[in-house]
PDB file of all heavy atoms in Angstrom:
ATOM      1  N   ALA Z   1     100.933 117.366  79.482  1.00 93.00           N
ATOM      2  CA  ALA Z   1      99.791 117.801  80.282  1.00 93.00           C
ATOM      3  C   ALA Z   1      98.582 116.872  79.959  1.00 93.00           C
ATOM      4  O   ALA Z   1      97.831 116.536  80.843  1.00 93.00           O
ATOM      5  CB  ALA Z   1      99.420 119.202  79.882  1.00 93.00           C
ATOM      6  N   ALA Z   2      98.416 116.481  78.669  1.00 93.00           N
ATOM      7  CA  ALA Z   2      97.338 115.582  78.353  1.00 93.00           C
ATOM      8  C   ALA Z   2      97.451 114.231  78.924  1.00 93.00           C
ATOM      9  O   ALA Z   2      96.509 113.596  79.361  1.00 93.00           O
ATOM     10  CB  ALA Z   2      97.192 115.541  76.818  1.00 93.00           C
ATOM     11  N   GLU Z   3      98.746 113.742  79.007  1.00 93.00           N
ATOM     12  CA  GLU Z   3      98.955 112.402  79.605  1.00 93.00           C
ATOM     13  C   GLU Z   3      98.538 112.376  81.060  1.00 93.00           C
ATOM     14  O   GLU Z   3      98.089 111.330  81.579  1.00 93.00           O
ATOM     15  CB  GLU Z   3     100.431 112.077  79.499  1.00 93.00           C
ATOM     16  CG  GLU Z   3     100.908 111.736  78.105  1.00 93.00           C
ATOM     17  CD  GLU Z   3     102.425 111.579  78.055  1.00 93.00           C
ATOM     18  OE1 GLU Z   3     102.991 111.182  79.104  1.00 93.00           O
ATOM     19  OE2 GLU Z   3     103.081 111.751  77.033  1.00 93.00           O
ATOM     20  N   ARG Z   4      98.821 113.498  81.806  1.00 92.00           N
ATOM     21  CA  ARG Z   4      98.597 113.508  83.230  1.00 92.00           C
ATOM     22  C   ARG Z   4      97.204 114.015  83.627  1.00 92.00           C
ATOM     23  O   ARG Z   4      96.914 114.120  84.822  1.00 92.00           O
ATOM     24  CB  ARG Z   4      99.651 114.374  83.859  1.00 92.00           C
ATOM     25  CG  ARG Z   4     101.130 113.863  83.674  1.00 92.00           C
ATOM     26  CD  ARG Z   4     102.111 114.856  84.183  1.00 92.00           C
ATOM     27  NE  ARG Z   4     103.480 114.346  83.991  1.00 92.00           N
ATOM     28  CZ  ARG Z   4     104.599 115.044  84.255  1.00 92.00           C
ATOM     29  NH1 ARG Z   4     104.430 116.300  84.805  1.00 92.00           N
ATOM     30  NH2 ARG Z   4     105.748 114.532  84.052  1.00 92.00           N
ATOM     31  N   ASP Z   5      96.373 114.287  82.703  1.00 94.00           N
ATOM     32  CA  ASP Z   5      95.078 114.841  82.935  1.00 94.00           C
ATOM     33  C   ASP Z   5      94.180 113.773  83.604  1.00 94.00           C
ATOM     34  O   ASP Z   5      94.265 112.571  83.286  1.00 94.00           O
ATOM     35  CB  ASP Z   5      94.437 115.347  81.647  1.00 94.00           C
ATOM     36  CG  ASP Z   5      93.191 116.198  81.961  1.00 94.00           C
ATOM     37  OD1 ASP Z   5      93.368 117.400  82.252  1.00 94.00           O
ATOM     38  OD2 ASP Z   5      92.096 115.661  81.862  1.00 94.00           O
ATOM     39  N   PRO Z   6      93.263 114.184  84.500  1.00 94.00           N
ATOM     40  CA  PRO Z   6      92.306 113.204  85.072  1.00 94.00           C
ATOM     41  C   PRO Z   6      91.501 112.447  84.111  1.00 94.00           C
ATOM     42  O   PRO Z   6      91.023 111.383  84.389  1.00 94.00           O
ATOM     43  CB  PRO Z   6      91.422 114.104  85.998  1.00 94.00           C
ATOM     44  CG  PRO Z   6      92.315 115.295  86.334  1.00 94.00           C
ATOM     45  CD  PRO Z   6      93.156 115.533  85.095  1.00 94.00           C
ATOM     46  N   ALA Z   7      91.291 112.975  82.901  1.00 94.00           N
ATOM     47  CA  ALA Z   7      90.498 112.332  81.874  1.00 94.00           C
ATOM     48  C   ALA Z   7      91.199 110.960  81.518  1.00 94.00           C
ATOM     49  O   ALA Z   7      90.451 109.981  81.297  1.00 94.00           O
ATOM     50  CB  ALA Z   7      90.375 113.176  80.660  1.00 94.00           C
ATOM     51  N   VAL Z   8      92.504 110.948  81.450  1.00 94.00           N
ATOM     52  CA  VAL Z   8      93.174 109.701  81.136  1.00 94.00           C
ATOM     53  C   VAL Z   8      93.050 108.707  82.300  1.00 94.00           C
ATOM     54  O   VAL Z   8      92.885 107.504  82.084  1.00 94.00           O
ATOM     55  CB  VAL Z   8      94.686 109.975  80.799  1.00 94.00           C
ATOM     56  CG1 VAL Z   8      95.416 108.688  80.599  1.00 94.00           C
ATOM     57  CG2 VAL Z   8      94.779 110.827  79.541  1.00 94.00           C
ATOM     58  N   ARG Z   9      93.193 109.182  83.513  1.00 92.00           N
ATOM     59  CA  ARG Z   9      93.004 108.357  84.671  1.00 92.00           C
ATOM     60  C   ARG Z   9      91.641 107.769  84.780  1.00 92.00           C
ATOM     61  O   ARG Z   9      91.436 106.555  85.056  1.00 92.00           O
ATOM     62  CB  ARG Z   9      93.355 109.117  85.979  1.00 92.00           C
ATOM     63  CG  ARG Z   9      94.851 109.462  86.118  1.00 92.00           C
ATOM     64  CD  ARG Z   9      95.146 109.891  87.585  1.00 92.00           C
ATOM     65  NE  ARG Z   9      94.486 111.112  87.918  1.00 92.00           N
ATOM     66  CZ  ARG Z   9      95.054 112.324  87.746  1.00 92.00           C
ATOM     67  NH1 ARG Z   9      96.196 112.454  87.133  1.00 92.00           N
ATOM     68  NH2 ARG Z   9      94.352 113.411  88.096  1.00 92.00           N
ATOM     69  N   ALA Z  10      90.618 108.564  84.402  1.00 94.00           N
ATOM     70  CA  ALA Z  10      89.270 108.012  84.385  1.00 94.00           C
ATOM     71  C   ALA Z  10      89.103 107.011  83.291  1.00 94.00           C
ATOM     72  O   ALA Z  10      88.359 105.986  83.521  1.00 94.00           O
ATOM     73  CB  ALA Z  10      88.255 109.193  84.161  1.00 94.00           C
ATOM     74  N   LEU Z  11      89.727 107.200  82.168  1.00 94.00           N
ATOM     75  CA  LEU Z  11      89.698 106.192  81.063  1.00 94.00           C
ATOM     76  C   LEU Z  11      90.328 104.891  81.488  1.00 94.00           C
ATOM     77  O   LEU Z  11      89.785 103.848  81.275  1.00 94.00           O
ATOM     78  CB  LEU Z  11      90.404 106.759  79.824  1.00 94.00           C
ATOM     79  CG  LEU Z  11      90.610 105.859  78.647  1.00 94.00           C
ATOM     80  CD1 LEU Z  11      89.241 105.541  78.011  1.00 94.00           C
ATOM     81  CD2 LEU Z  11      91.451 106.526  77.555  1.00 94.00           C
ATOM     82  N   ALA Z  12      91.464 104.994  82.197  1.00 91.00           N
ATOM     83  CA  ALA Z  12      92.163 103.813  82.677  1.00 91.00           C
ATOM     84  C   ALA Z  12      91.360 103.072  83.668  1.00 91.00           C
ATOM     85  O   ALA Z  12      91.255 101.777  83.641  1.00 91.00           O
ATOM     86  CB  ALA Z  12      93.532 104.227  83.256  1.00 91.00           C
ATOM     87  N   ASP Z  13      90.685 103.784  84.571  1.00 89.00           N
ATOM     88  CA  ASP Z  13      89.804 103.117  85.578  1.00 89.00           C
ATOM     89  C   ASP Z  13      88.653 102.435  84.919  1.00 89.00           C
ATOM     90  O   ASP Z  13      88.244 101.332  85.341  1.00 89.00           O
ATOM     91  CB  ASP Z  13      89.346 104.167  86.608  1.00 89.00           C
ATOM     92  CG  ASP Z  13      90.453 104.668  87.446  1.00 89.00           C
ATOM     93  OD1 ASP Z  13      91.447 104.029  87.553  1.00 89.00           O
ATOM     94  OD2 ASP Z  13      90.271 105.753  88.088  1.00 89.00           O
ATOM     95  N   ARG Z  14      88.086 103.090  83.930  1.00 91.00           N
ATOM     96  CA  ARG Z  14      86.935 102.480  83.198  1.00 91.00           C
ATOM     97  C   ARG Z  14      87.336 101.185  82.497  1.00 91.00           C
ATOM     98  O   ARG Z  14      86.611 100.210  82.588  1.00 91.00           O
ATOM     99  CB  ARG Z  14      86.372 103.490  82.216  1.00 91.00           C
ATOM    100  CG  ARG Z  14      85.058 103.012  81.515  1.00 91.00           C
ATOM    101  CD  ARG Z  14      84.405 104.154  80.822  1.00 91.00           C
ATOM    102  NE  ARG Z  14      85.168 104.702  79.700  1.00 91.00           N
ATOM    103  CZ  ARG Z  14      85.773 105.862  79.673  1.00 91.00           C
ATOM    104  NH1 ARG Z  14      85.766 106.624  80.753  1.00 91.00           N
ATOM    105  NH2 ARG Z  14      86.440 106.261  78.566  1.00 91.00           N
ATOM    106  N   LEU Z  15      88.493 101.205  81.877  1.00 91.00           N
ATOM    107  CA  LEU Z  15      88.943 100.014  81.185  1.00 91.00           C
ATOM    108  C   LEU Z  15      89.365  98.916  82.184  1.00 91.00           C
ATOM    109  O   LEU Z  15      89.210  97.708  81.921  1.00 91.00           O
ATOM    110  CB  LEU Z  15      90.158 100.357  80.274  1.00 91.00           C
ATOM    111  CG  LEU Z  15      89.778 101.213  79.017  1.00 91.00           C
ATOM    112  CD1 LEU Z  15      91.013 101.700  78.307  1.00 91.00           C
ATOM    113  CD2 LEU Z  15      88.909 100.358  78.078  1.00 91.00           C
ATOM    114  N   GLY Z  16      89.927  99.354  83.322  1.00 86.00           N
ATOM    115  CA  GLY Z  16      90.244  98.351  84.353  1.00 86.00           C
ATOM    116  C   GLY Z  16      89.012  97.720  84.915  1.00 86.00           C
ATOM    117  O   GLY Z  16      89.016  96.476  85.146  1.00 86.00           O
ATOM    118  N   ASP Z  17      87.970  98.481  85.148  1.00 85.00           N
ATOM    119  CA  ASP Z  17      86.719  97.929  85.689  1.00 85.00           C
ATOM    120  C   ASP Z  17      86.104  96.959  84.674  1.00 85.00           C
ATOM    121  O   ASP Z  17      85.408  96.024  85.072  1.00 85.00           O
ATOM    122  CB  ASP Z  17      85.709  99.043  85.954  1.00 85.00           C
ATOM    123  CG  ASP Z  17      86.137  99.871  87.165  1.00 85.00           C
ATOM    124  OD1 ASP Z  17      87.003  99.390  87.976  1.00 85.00           O
ATOM    125  OD2 ASP Z  17      85.704 101.028  87.285  1.00 85.00           O
ATOM    126  N   ALA Z  18      86.338  97.197  83.338  1.00 86.00           N
ATOM    127  CA  ALA Z  18      85.793  96.330  82.311  1.00 86.00           C
ATOM    128  C   ALA Z  18      86.639  95.103  82.101  1.00 86.00           C
ATOM    129  O   ALA Z  18      86.349  94.218  81.347  1.00 86.00           O
ATOM    130  CB  ALA Z  18      85.685  97.100  80.992  1.00 86.00           C
ATOM    131  N   GLY Z  19      87.813  95.024  82.806  1.00 83.00           N
ATOM    132  CA  GLY Z  19      88.675  93.862  82.652  1.00 83.00           C
ATOM    133  C   GLY Z  19      89.494  93.934  81.372  1.00 83.00           C
ATOM    134  O   GLY Z  19      90.090  92.875  80.979  1.00 83.00           O
ATOM    135  N   LEU Z  20      89.613  95.040  80.764  1.00 88.00           N
ATOM    136  CA  LEU Z  20      90.358  95.165  79.497  1.00 88.00           C
ATOM    137  C   LEU Z  20      91.762  95.776  79.693  1.00 88.00           C
ATOM    138  O   LEU Z  20      92.622  95.534  78.803  1.00 88.00           O
ATOM    139  CB  LEU Z  20      89.583  96.050  78.488  1.00 88.00           C
ATOM    140  CG  LEU Z  20      88.168  95.573  78.154  1.00 88.00           C
ATOM    141  CD1 LEU Z  20      87.471  96.585  77.224  1.00 88.00           C
ATOM    142  CD2 LEU Z  20      88.236  94.210  77.496  1.00 88.00           C
ATOM    143  N   ALA Z  21      91.998  96.466  80.752  1.00 86.00           N
ATOM    144  CA  ALA Z  21      93.324  97.087  81.028  1.00 86.00           C
ATOM    145  C   ALA Z  21      93.917  96.540  82.294  1.00 86.00           C
ATOM    146  O   ALA Z  21      93.202  96.172  83.210  1.00 86.00           O
ATOM    147  CB  ALA Z  21      93.182  98.633  81.083  1.00 86.00           C
ATOM    148  N   LEU Z  22      95.211  96.468  82.304  1.00 80.00           N
ATOM    149  CA  LEU Z  22      95.924  96.014  83.518  1.00 80.00           C
ATOM    150  C   LEU Z  22      95.917  97.157  84.541  1.00 80.00           C
ATOM    151  O   LEU Z  22      96.178  98.284  84.186  1.00 80.00           O
ATOM    152  CB  LEU Z  22      97.386  95.614  83.204  1.00 80.00           C
ATOM    153  CG  LEU Z  22      97.586  94.435  82.304  1.00 80.00           C
ATOM    154  CD1 LEU Z  22      99.098  94.268  82.027  1.00 80.00           C
ATOM    155  CD2 LEU Z  22      96.979  93.205  82.896  1.00 80.00           C
ATOM    156  N   ARG Z  23      95.590  96.873  85.781  1.00 72.00           N
ATOM    157  CA  ARG Z  23      95.627  97.876  86.763  1.00 72.00           C
ATOM    158  C   ARG Z  23      97.043  98.157  87.168  1.00 72.00           C
ATOM    159  O   ARG Z  23      97.935  97.387  87.005  1.00 72.00           O
ATOM    160  CB  ARG Z  23      94.786  97.411  87.962  1.00 72.00           C
ATOM    161  CG  ARG Z  23      93.282  97.308  87.706  1.00 72.00           C
ATOM    162  CD  ARG Z  23      92.486  97.159  88.916  1.00 72.00           C
ATOM    163  NE  ARG Z  23      91.058  97.228  88.653  1.00 72.00           N
ATOM    164  CZ  ARG Z  23      90.382  98.362  88.496  1.00 72.00           C
ATOM    165  NH1 ARG Z  23      90.942  99.551  88.669  1.00 72.00           N
ATOM    166  NH2 ARG Z  23      89.082  98.351  88.255  1.00 72.00           N
ATOM    167  N   ALA Z  24      97.221  99.299  87.795  1.00 65.00           N
ATOM    168  CA  ALA Z  24      98.594  99.747  88.194  1.00 65.00           C
ATOM    169  C   ALA Z  24      99.256  98.705  89.125  1.00 65.00           C
ATOM    170  O   ALA Z  24     100.454  98.482  89.027  1.00 65.00           O
ATOM    171  CB  ALA Z  24      98.497 101.124  88.883  1.00 65.00           C
ATOM    172  N   GLY Z  25      98.467  98.109  90.040  1.00 62.00           N
ATOM    173  CA  GLY Z  25      99.044  97.176  90.938  1.00 62.00           C
ATOM    174  C   GLY Z  25      99.596  95.908  90.222  1.00 62.00           C
ATOM    175  O   GLY Z  25     100.601  95.387  90.612  1.00 62.00           O
ATOM    176  N   THR Z  26      98.904  95.519  89.180  1.00 65.00           N
ATOM    177  CA  THR Z  26      99.375  94.347  88.407  1.00 65.00           C
ATOM    178  C   THR Z  26     100.644  94.665  87.679  1.00 65.00           C
ATOM    179  O   THR Z  26     101.592  93.848  87.684  1.00 65.00           O
ATOM    180  CB  THR Z  26      98.283  93.947  87.370  1.00 65.00           C
ATOM    181  OG1 THR Z  26      97.079  93.645  88.111  1.00 65.00           O
ATOM    182  CG2 THR Z  26      98.693  92.711  86.610  1.00 65.00           C
ATOM    183  N   LYS Z  27     100.713  95.795  87.070  1.00 66.00           N
ATOM    184  CA  LYS Z  27     101.949  96.225  86.345  1.00 66.00           C
ATOM    185  C   LYS Z  27     103.109  96.347  87.298  1.00 66.00           C
ATOM    186  O   LYS Z  27     104.255  96.002  87.070  1.00 66.00           O
ATOM    187  CB  LYS Z  27     101.721  97.496  85.574  1.00 66.00           C
ATOM    188  CG  LYS Z  27     100.804  97.311  84.407  1.00 66.00           C
ATOM    189  CD  LYS Z  27     100.661  98.606  83.626  1.00 66.00           C
ATOM    190  CE  LYS Z  27      99.778  99.650  84.348  1.00 66.00           C
ATOM    191  NZ  LYS Z  27      99.499 100.852  83.570  1.00 66.00           N
ATOM    192  N   GLN Z  28     102.814  96.899  88.484  1.00 70.00           N
ATOM    193  CA  GLN Z  28     103.852  97.073  89.492  1.00 70.00           C
ATOM    194  C   GLN Z  28     104.319  95.696  90.000  1.00 70.00           C
ATOM    195  O   GLN Z  28     105.506  95.530  90.196  1.00 70.00           O
ATOM    196  CB  GLN Z  28     103.303  97.922  90.697  1.00 70.00           C
ATOM    197  CG  GLN Z  28     104.340  98.186  91.731  1.00 70.00           C
ATOM    198  CD  GLN Z  28     103.760  99.004  92.899  1.00 70.00           C
ATOM    199  OE1 GLN Z  28     102.668  99.426  92.831  1.00 70.00           O
ATOM    200  NE2 GLN Z  28     104.635  99.306  93.880  1.00 70.00           N
ATOM    201  N   GLY Z  29     103.393  94.792  90.189  1.00 75.00           N
ATOM    202  CA  GLY Z  29     103.782  93.464  90.638  1.00 75.00           C
ATOM    203  C   GLY Z  29     104.700  92.765  89.587  1.00 75.00           C
ATOM    204  O   GLY Z  29     105.668  92.088  89.988  1.00 75.00           O
ATOM    205  N   MET Z  30     104.402  92.943  88.332  1.00 76.00           N
ATOM    206  CA  MET Z  30     105.266  92.349  87.306  1.00 76.00           C
ATOM    207  C   MET Z  30     106.660  92.962  87.337  1.00 76.00           C
ATOM    208  O   MET Z  30     107.683  92.292  87.243  1.00 76.00           O
ATOM    209  CB  MET Z  30     104.620  92.540  85.901  1.00 76.00           C
ATOM    210  CG  MET Z  30     103.411  91.643  85.647  1.00 76.00           C
ATOM    211  SD  MET Z  30     103.870  89.943  85.426  1.00 76.00           S
ATOM    212  CE  MET Z  30     104.818  90.020  83.894  1.00 76.00           C
ATOM    213  N   GLY Z  31     106.708  94.264  87.452  1.00 80.00           N
ATOM    214  CA  GLY Z  31     108.011  94.944  87.534  1.00 80.00           C
ATOM    215  C   GLY Z  31     108.827  94.552  88.747  1.00 80.00           C
ATOM    216  O   GLY Z  31     110.036  94.313  88.624  1.00 80.00           O
ATOM    217  N   GLU Z  32     108.128  94.410  89.860  1.00 85.00           N
ATOM    218  CA  GLU Z  32     108.877  94.020  91.060  1.00 85.00           C
ATOM    219  C   GLU Z  32     109.320  92.520  90.952  1.00 85.00           C
ATOM    220  O   GLU Z  32     110.372  92.168  91.486  1.00 85.00           O
ATOM    221  CB  GLU Z  32     107.963  94.148  92.283  1.00 85.00           C
ATOM    222  CG  GLU Z  32     107.688  95.635  92.625  1.00 85.00           C
ATOM    223  CD  GLU Z  32     106.759  95.769  93.788  1.00 85.00           C
ATOM    224  OE1 GLU Z  32     106.148  94.738  94.240  1.00 85.00           O
ATOM    225  OE2 GLU Z  32     106.546  96.911  94.293  1.00 85.00           O
ATOM    226  N   GLY Z  33     108.508  91.692  90.281  1.00 87.00           N
ATOM    227  CA  GLY Z  33     108.891  90.303  90.107  1.00 87.00           C
ATOM    228  C   GLY Z  33     110.166  90.174  89.198  1.00 87.00           C
ATOM    229  O   GLY Z  33     111.088  89.388  89.507  1.00 87.00           O
ATOM    230  N   VAL Z  34     110.202  90.955  88.140  1.00 88.00           N
ATOM    231  CA  VAL Z  34     111.376  90.948  87.240  1.00 88.00           C
ATOM    232  C   VAL Z  34     112.636  91.469  88.042  1.00 88.00           C
ATOM    233  O   VAL Z  34     113.667  90.921  87.893  1.00 88.00           O
ATOM    234  CB  VAL Z  34     111.162  91.856  86.019  1.00 88.00           C
ATOM    235  CG1 VAL Z  34     112.410  92.024  85.210  1.00 88.00           C
ATOM    236  CG2 VAL Z  34     110.069  91.236  85.100  1.00 88.00           C
ATOM    237  N   LYS Z  35     112.374  92.531  88.866  1.00 91.00           N
ATOM    238  CA  LYS Z  35     113.540  93.043  89.604  1.00 91.00           C
ATOM    239  C   LYS Z  35     114.023  91.986  90.617  1.00 91.00           C
ATOM    240  O   LYS Z  35     115.261  91.837  90.799  1.00 91.00           O
ATOM    241  CB  LYS Z  35     113.099  94.285  90.346  1.00 91.00           C
ATOM    242  CG  LYS Z  35     114.244  94.969  91.099  1.00 91.00           C
ATOM    243  CD  LYS Z  35     113.725  96.201  91.924  1.00 91.00           C
ATOM    244  CE  LYS Z  35     113.226  97.233  90.974  1.00 91.00           C
ATOM    245  NZ  LYS Z  35     112.821  98.482  91.723  1.00 91.00           N
ATOM    246  N   ALA Z  36     113.108  91.245  91.206  1.00 92.00           N
ATOM    247  CA  ALA Z  36     113.577  90.222  92.158  1.00 92.00           C
ATOM    248  C   ALA Z  36     114.343  89.102  91.479  1.00 92.00           C
ATOM    249  O   ALA Z  36     115.307  88.600  92.045  1.00 92.00           O
ATOM    250  CB  ALA Z  36     112.317  89.585  92.809  1.00 92.00           C
ATOM    251  N   VAL Z  37     113.920  88.725  90.256  1.00 93.00           N
ATOM    252  CA  VAL Z  37     114.684  87.669  89.524  1.00 93.00           C
ATOM    253  C   VAL Z  37     116.112  88.226  89.190  1.00 93.00           C
ATOM    254  O   VAL Z  37     117.105  87.469  89.193  1.00 93.00           O
ATOM    255  CB  VAL Z  37     113.923  87.279  88.317  1.00 93.00           C
ATOM    256  CG1 VAL Z  37     114.767  86.319  87.445  1.00 93.00           C
ATOM    257  CG2 VAL Z  37     112.599  86.590  88.683  1.00 93.00           C
ATOM    258  N   ARG Z  38     116.161  89.498  88.780  1.00 93.00           N
ATOM    259  CA  ARG Z  38     117.466  90.069  88.490  1.00 93.00           C
ATOM    260  C   ARG Z  38     118.431  90.040  89.704  1.00 93.00           C
ATOM    261  O   ARG Z  38     119.615  89.671  89.615  1.00 93.00           O
ATOM    262  CB  ARG Z  38     117.346  91.485  87.996  1.00 93.00           C
ATOM    263  CG  ARG Z  38     116.771  91.587  86.621  1.00 93.00           C
ATOM    264  CD  ARG Z  38     116.528  93.050  86.218  1.00 93.00           C
ATOM    265  NE  ARG Z  38     116.006  93.123  84.849  1.00 93.00           N
ATOM    266  CZ  ARG Z  38     115.400  94.262  84.380  1.00 93.00           C
ATOM    267  NH1 ARG Z  38     115.301  95.284  85.171  1.00 93.00           N
ATOM    268  NH2 ARG Z  38     114.966  94.302  83.155  1.00 93.00           N
ATOM    269  N   HIS Z  39     117.820  90.383  90.909  1.00 94.00           N
ATOM    270  CA  HIS Z  39     118.604  90.312  92.119  1.00 94.00           C
ATOM    271  C   HIS Z  39     119.059  88.884  92.446  1.00 94.00           C
ATOM    272  O   HIS Z  39     120.139  88.673  92.925  1.00 94.00           O
ATOM    273  CB  HIS Z  39     117.812  90.908  93.250  1.00 94.00           C
ATOM    274  CG  HIS Z  39     117.634  92.354  93.183  1.00 94.00           C
ATOM    275  ND1 HIS Z  39     116.674  93.043  93.963  1.00 94.00           N
ATOM    276  CD2 HIS Z  39     118.266  93.346  92.401  1.00 94.00           C
ATOM    277  CE1 HIS Z  39     116.750  94.390  93.641  1.00 94.00           C
ATOM    278  NE2 HIS Z  39     117.701  94.532  92.713  1.00 94.00           N
ATOM    279  N   ALA Z  40     118.125  87.912  92.158  1.00 94.00           N
ATOM    280  CA  ALA Z  40     118.445  86.551  92.397  1.00 94.00           C
ATOM    281  C   ALA Z  40     119.586  86.056  91.484  1.00 94.00           C
ATOM    282  O   ALA Z  40     120.452  85.278  91.833  1.00 94.00           O
ATOM    283  CB  ALA Z  40     117.250  85.646  92.171  1.00 94.00           C
ATOM    284  N   CYS Z  41     119.608  86.611  90.252  1.00 94.00           N
ATOM    285  CA  CYS Z  41     120.709  86.247  89.343  1.00 94.00           C
ATOM    286  C   CYS Z  41     122.039  86.802  89.902  1.00 94.00           C
ATOM    287  O   CYS Z  41     123.047  86.113  89.832  1.00 94.00           O
ATOM    288  CB  CYS Z  41     120.376  86.884  87.986  1.00 94.00           C
ATOM    289  SG  CYS Z  41     121.608  86.468  86.681  1.00 94.00           S
ATOM    290  N   GLY Z  42     122.010  87.985  90.390  1.00 94.00           N
ATOM    291  CA  GLY Z  42     123.199  88.521  91.064  1.00 94.00           C
ATOM    292  C   GLY Z  42     123.636  87.722  92.266  1.00 94.00           C
ATOM    293  O   GLY Z  42     124.833  87.541  92.500  1.00 94.00           O
ATOM    294  N   LEU Z  43     122.644  87.243  93.030  1.00 94.00           N
ATOM    295  CA  LEU Z  43     122.928  86.391  94.218  1.00 94.00           C
ATOM    296  C   LEU Z  43     123.646  85.115  93.762  1.00 94.00           C
ATOM    297  O   LEU Z  43     124.602  84.708  94.439  1.00 94.00           O
ATOM    298  CB  LEU Z  43     121.633  86.097  94.950  1.00 94.00           C
ATOM    299  CG  LEU Z  43     121.781  85.135  96.171  1.00 94.00           C
ATOM    300  CD1 LEU Z  43     122.639  85.737  97.228  1.00 94.00           C
ATOM    301  CD2 LEU Z  43     120.373  84.780  96.677  1.00 94.00           C
ATOM    302  N   VAL Z  44     123.154  84.481  92.696  1.00 95.00           N
ATOM    303  CA  VAL Z  44     123.800  83.249  92.256  1.00 95.00           C
ATOM    304  C   VAL Z  44     125.215  83.484  91.844  1.00 95.00           C
ATOM    305  O   VAL Z  44     126.127  82.694  92.190  1.00 95.00           O
ATOM    306  CB  VAL Z  44     123.040  82.670  91.028  1.00 95.00           C
ATOM    307  CG1 VAL Z  44     123.770  81.516  90.401  1.00 95.00           C
ATOM    308  CG2 VAL Z  44     121.584  82.252  91.422  1.00 95.00           C
ATOM    309  N   VAL Z  45     125.542  84.593  91.143  1.00 94.00           N
ATOM    310  CA  VAL Z  45     126.860  84.879  90.747  1.00 94.00           C
ATOM    311  C   VAL Z  45     127.742  85.143  91.986  1.00 94.00           C
ATOM    312  O   VAL Z  45     128.884  84.666  92.106  1.00 94.00           O
ATOM    313  CB  VAL Z  45     126.889  86.067  89.821  1.00 94.00           C
ATOM    314  CG1 VAL Z  45     128.331  86.539  89.514  1.00 94.00           C
ATOM    315  CG2 VAL Z  45     126.149  85.808  88.523  1.00 94.00           C
ATOM    316  N   ALA Z  46     127.185  85.865  92.991  1.00 94.00           N
ATOM    317  CA  ALA Z  46     127.935  86.132  94.162  1.00 94.00           C
ATOM    318  C   ALA Z  46     128.261  84.880  94.942  1.00 94.00           C
ATOM    319  O   ALA Z  46     129.365  84.666  95.445  1.00 94.00           O
ATOM    320  CB  ALA Z  46     127.200  87.156  95.065  1.00 94.00           C
ATOM    321  N   MET Z  47     127.287  84.009  95.094  1.00 94.00           N
ATOM    322  CA  MET Z  47     127.491  82.755  95.833  1.00 94.00           C
ATOM    323  C   MET Z  47     128.449  81.843  95.091  1.00 94.00           C
ATOM    324  O   MET Z  47     129.256  81.162  95.717  1.00 94.00           O
ATOM    325  CB  MET Z  47     126.131  82.049  95.975  1.00 94.00           C
ATOM    326  CG  MET Z  47     125.170  82.737  96.929  1.00 94.00           C
ATOM    327  SD  MET Z  47     125.777  82.890  98.664  1.00 94.00           S
ATOM    328  CE  MET Z  47     126.396  84.519  98.684  1.00 94.00           C
ATOM    329  N   MET Z  48     128.413  81.863  93.756  1.00 93.00           N
ATOM    330  CA  MET Z  48     129.332  81.058  92.979  1.00 93.00           C
ATOM    331  C   MET Z  48     130.753  81.549  93.210  1.00 93.00           C
ATOM    332  O   MET Z  48     131.708  80.756  93.379  1.00 93.00           O
ATOM    333  CB  MET Z  48     128.949  81.125  91.537  1.00 93.00           C
ATOM    334  CG  MET Z  48     129.836  80.256  90.601  1.00 93.00           C
ATOM    335  SD  MET Z  48     129.243  80.159  88.922  1.00 93.00           S
ATOM    336  CE  MET Z  48     129.231  81.875  88.448  1.00 93.00           C
TER     337      MET Z  48
END
């Protein structure tokens, strides 16, 4: 309950505005980039 409380979201937004925390979009972009590389690895094996 404490993790999901608006107080934590406000804290995250404040740190993001200060340039100290990664925003959700940045973390999501990193995760999607890693997933894309994993798929590319599978593509190489399939093509081989």
Side-chain angles (χ1 to χ4, degrees):
E3 290 174 25
R4 299 174 179 176
D5 193 80
V8 175
R9 291 196 294 271
L11 176 66
D13 291 340
R14 185 167 67 251
L15 290 170
D17 292 339
L20 300 177
L22 295 178
R23 292 194 174 275
T26 302
K27 290 182 287 186
Q28 182 179 358
M30 287 289 294
E32 292 177 350
V34 171
K35 184 183 296 185
V37 174
R38 287 175 179 165
H39 290 165
C41 185
L43 175 65
V44 173
V45 174
M47 292 296 99
M48 182 172 60

